[in-house]
């Protein structure tokens, strides 16, 4: 029963009025490619540093997580040139 009603609906859809024809697309004259290249370059120049920072940040997060799970303490060592170091857990 449903296949028959679907077929009738599909058949009736072809009897509807046709949509109006599309107007022709305007010709693209001028240096639009230069504008697209400039905008793409600006987007790339703003996104690439963020991706670079993210790639350096992820391994540090994994090391910090391992240090905390081992019971260590994260000490930020700006004077010795490293971003942080993991002090082992205190001896009891």
């Amino acid at each position: 029963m449903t296949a028959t009603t679907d077929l009738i609906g599909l058949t009736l859809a072809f009897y509807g009025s046709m949509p109006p024809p599309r107007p022709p697309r305007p010709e693209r004259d001028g240096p639009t490619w230069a504008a697209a290249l400039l905008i793409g370059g600006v987007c790339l120049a703003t996104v690439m540093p963020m991706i670079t920072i993210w790639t350096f940040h992820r391994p540090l997060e994994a090391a910090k997580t391992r240090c905390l799970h081992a019971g260590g303490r994260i000490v930020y060592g700006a004077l010795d040139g490293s971003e942080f170091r993991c002090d082992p857990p205190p001896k009891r």
Side-chain angles (χ1 to χ4, degrees), residues 6 8 16 20 22 26-27 33 38 48 52 57 60-61 78 89 91:
D6 289 341
I8 290 173
R22 289 186 187 180
E27 300 236 356
W33 62 269
L38 178 69
M48 286 307 290
T52 305
H57 183 71
L60 293 178
E61 279 298 315
K91 306 269 180 178

Side-chain angles (χ1 to χ4, degrees), residues 24-87:
R25 294 180 70 178
E27 300 236 356
R28 297 186 181 191
D29 294 331
T32 55
W33 62 269
L37 186 66
L38 178 69
I39 292 171
V42 167
C43 290
L44 192 65
T46 56
V47 169
M48 286 307 290
M50 290 186 289
I51 292 173
T52 305
I53 291 168
W54 183 65
T55 58
F56 286 123
H57 183 71
R58 285 186 65 202
L60 293 178
E61 279 298 315
K64 287 179 185 179
T65 305
R66 283 193 306 270
C67 178
L68 291 175
H69 282 301
R73 188 176 66 130
I74 297 173
V75 179
Y76 292 95
L79 295 178
D80 63 355
S82 64
E83 185 175 339
F84 73 93
R85 69 176 189 268
C86 181
D87 281 352

Side-chain angles (χ1 to χ4, degrees), residues 7-17:
L7 188 60
I8 290 173
L10 184 63
T11 305
L12 292 176
F14 288 107
Y15 289 123
S17 63

